[in-house]
Amino acid sequence: MAVLGQGCDRVLFRRELQVIHHISYWVVRSVRTSKGGAVKVRIDPEICQGQGRCFSIAPQIFDFDELGNGVVLGDGLLTSETIELARLAQANCPEHAVFIEDSP
Amino acid sequence: MTDNPLVQDFATDWDHSDPQWVADPYPIWEDLRQRCPVAHTDRYGGGWFPATHAGVSEIAKDTTNFTSRNVVIGNGRPTELDLPAPIGVAPPITSDPPFHAIARRLILPAFAPGPINALEPMIRELCSKLLDTMAGEDVVNAGTQYAQYIPPSVIRGMLGFPEEDIEQFLEFVHIILEGIDHPEEERIIEFEPVEKYFVAQIEEHMDSPRDDLTSYLLNAELDGQNLALEHVFGTMVLILVAGIDTTWSAIGSAIWHLAHNPEDLARLVNEPDLMPVAIEEFLRFYAPVTMARLVKHDMEYQGCPMKEDDWILLGFPAANRDPVAFKDADKFIIDRAENRHVAFGLGIHRCAGSNLARLEMRVALEEFIKRYPRFELADSKAVTWAPGQIRGPRNLPIRILQ
């Protein structure tokens, strides 16, 4: 039983480590504003016309819907690795539909 | 070309079919931007030409004061034949809100990146076969032997028309594009064989539906009902008119550029990953398409007294060269990283076929430079440019270098 218990603990411990790793990833990697908030990217669906520039330039951040309009993948939180790419996509959108802003 | 007298001053008498505009419109637009950002003409029944990015952008997005019920400038003011949608001539390009959104929603899924990207192997094989037919020639015509064939062949495949009908189909394309500004009575007669063939294809697809654009349109529903057959037919014609000489012009212009800019050609040959960025710069610098609008009611725009039914020529290619909107706007920069060009228009009428156009351009250029890593213009004076609202090289003799 002790062995089994240890094993269970070990599994739990590993999971905890993963969670900690995951959280620390966001603490370390996500881009923070001076006030400490995260930075998010979003597409305004009223402005987007499906020009297709964002998901071509940054498929890690953007995808397209069944009409070919741009959508943000996941929660849109930007990391130090993705923010420049998001800014590049923003700078290539002819409709000015990509917004990079502080997440509340 | 028209028989109109030559233009002396494009600010007060512009004409997009004037030989000077057809040969090299860019200095004209730069001059207009500096002294008269919204030019006027009494030709074509009267019209206006905004030469700045701001002007083009503002009018393209303003569906309150400007209508799309005719997007190709005719010989005079629009007539009762240029009716607004619902079905109209060619929805959704000739539609205004609110019907526009419904008609556009019908066709967008067929032109979204998913289904379009699936065409890549077919387009690559097509380009490769075209290049095979040109093999061994020292001078090839990249316009008439290559670029011209790519879009119609792709669209024939998308519509699901038999491959053996390609020659007949090319003839129809010719009739439709050449006849676009012929008088209505002439067009009806010219169109007869086209209509007959299309109707036969529609009927054939009704009997045996398959996975192609014709069956897609036949299955599409509006208010729970299948589209009227005239709507299906109208949209098929729109796809032909909008998807052929536009992309053919874009491919031709890119080859023309590479033929006299060997450093850019070498970069694309050596850095294949640069192609998508280069495509956007080709689109900015050589945007082929200008579209028209009509003024909805008498109004003043930037001090210009616009009258109901005056034409507006939306110069997307001129907007793309505006130094206010683009750094070094008059320079072709093959790796331009920030490029908000408007080659596919702006606002609700963004070209529905833009994903297809980009794919055709990329594959056509990739295959061409793979086969011919070095080439030049065989005779620069022999290059001819299409007049009117779609600009691109038609005759394009290219000398293949070893």
Side-chain angles (χ1 to χ4, degrees), chain A residues 47 49-53 55-57 64-69 87-96 98, chain B residues 61 104-105 108-109 112-114 117 280 337-342 344-350 354-355 358:
Chain A
I47 301 174
Q49 299 292 344
Q51 294 268 1
R53 305 301 303 284
F55 54 76
S56 306
I57 288 170
F64 48 84
D65 66 14
E66 59 141 4
L67 299 179
N69 289 329
R87 286 196 180 122
L88 188 63
Q90 181 182 43
N92 278 280
C93 176
E95 308 282 354
H96 297 260
V98 178
Chain B
K61 291 176 181 176
R104 186 168 168 87
R105 223 195 136 79
L108 280 184
N117 292 343
E280 301 306 325
E338 295 187 7
N339 193 347
R340 275 195 171 114
H341 73 78
V342 295
F344 293 113
L346 275 171
I348 63 168
H349 288 281
R350 186 267 305 168
S354 59
N355 298 304
R358 283 193 172 99

Side-chain angles (χ1 to χ4, degrees), chain B residues 66-356:
Chain B
F66 305 95
T67 164
S68 283
R69 75 176 207 274
N70 195 325
V71 292
V72 180
I73 292 183
N75 289 325
R77 294 181 87 77
T79 66
E80 62 278 11
L81 287 169
D82 303 309
L83 286 176
I87 292 178
V89 192
I93 199 171
T94 52
S95 316
D96 289 331
F99 179 79
H100 167 270
I102 302 164
R104 186 168 168 87
R105 223 195 136 79
L106 281 177
I107 63 162
L108 280 184
F111 290 91
I116 291 304
N117 292 343
L119 299 171
E120 180 166 341
M122 183 264 273
I123 300 174
R124 204 169 285 286
E125 193 191 331
L126 164 73
C127 293
S128 180
K129 277 185 179 166
L130 283 171
L131 291 164
D132 288 345
T133 66
M134 295 147 61
E137 295 174 34
D138 297 333
V139 174
V140 300
N141 197 315
T144 56
Q145 286 179 284
Y146 190 63
Q148 180 183 4
Y149 279 104
I150 297 164
S153 304
V154 171
I155 284 174
R156 179 211 57 78
M158 288 179 79
L159 288 171
F161 294 176
E163 205 171 342
E164 59 269 25
D165 291 357
I166 184 67
E167 289 302 325
Q168 198 180 0
F169 186 75
L170 290 171
E171 178 59 29
F172 293 158
V173 168
H174 195 66
I175 291 173
I176 292 173
L177 295 181
E178 298 286 305
I180 205 156
D181 55 0
H182 290 181
E184 195 67 19
E185 319 82 65
E186 269 178 48
R187 274 183 71 171
I188 290 171
I189 299 166
E190 289 167 352
F191 258 54
E192 238 169 54
V194 183
E195 196 173 337
K196 223 170 153 185
Y197 179 86
F198 273 57
V199 169
Q201 285 298 326
I202 289 172
E203 283 171 351
E204 212 263 322
H205 278 76
M206 287 167 92
D207 290 342
S208 45
R210 35 195 188 264
D211 185 19
D212 59 32
L213 206 47
T214 304
S215 292
Y216 173 88
L217 291 171
L218 286 168
N219 283 332
E221 285 183 5
L222 202 61
D223 297 329
Q225 291 195 329
N226 284 118
L227 301 184
L229 287 185
E230 304 87 79
H231 189 151
V232 173
F233 178 78
T235 304
M236 287 163 94
V237 172
L238 165 63
I239 289 165
L240 278 177
V241 173
I244 290 183
D245 58 345
T246 50
T247 312
W248 148 25
S249 297
I251 296 169
S253 294
I255 295 176
W256 178 76
H257 175 90
L258 294 174
H260 66 278
N261 290 278
E263 65 292 354
D264 285 339
L265 175 57
R267 276 201 74 181
L268 281 184
V269 170
N270 296 325
E271 300 168 55
D273 291 347
L274 190 59
M275 187 61 91
V277 177
I279 295 279
E280 301 306 325
E281 182 67 345
F282 285 129
L283 283 165
R284 182 187 75 85
F285 210 71
Y286 300 107
V289 182
T290 52
M291 279 286 139
R293 296 287 187 271
L294 287 163
V295 177
K296 262 193 191 168
H297 38 246
D298 293 4
M299 62 180 280
E300 196 176 294
Y301 178 78
Q302 291 196 6
C304 302
M306 296 186 171
K307 298 269 173 269
E308 183 181 345
D309 282 349
D310 278 356
W311 295 104
I312 304 280
L313 187 60
L314 278 183
F316 298 113
N320 281 347
R321 300 280 190 119
D322 185 346
V324 173
F326 298 91
K327 201 175 161 223
D328 294 322
D330 59 348
K331 288 198 180 67
F332 182 95
I333 301 172
I334 197 161
D335 55 2
R336 186 183 286 271
E338 295 187 7
N339 193 347
R340 275 195 171 114
H341 73 78
V342 295
F344 293 113
L346 275 171
I348 63 168
H349 288 281
R350 186 267 305 168
C351 168
S354 59
N355 298 304
L356 177 60

Side-chain angles (χ1 to χ4, degrees), chain A residues 11-30:
Chain A
V11 169
L12 278 176
F13 182 60
R14 271 195 207 132
R15 276 190 194 147
E16 276 161 15
L17 262 185
Q18 277 175 358
V19 171
I20 290 164
H21 179 78
H22 191 72
I23 293 169
S24 67
Y25 177 85
W26 286 109
V27 171
V28 175
R29 300 303 185 103
S30 66

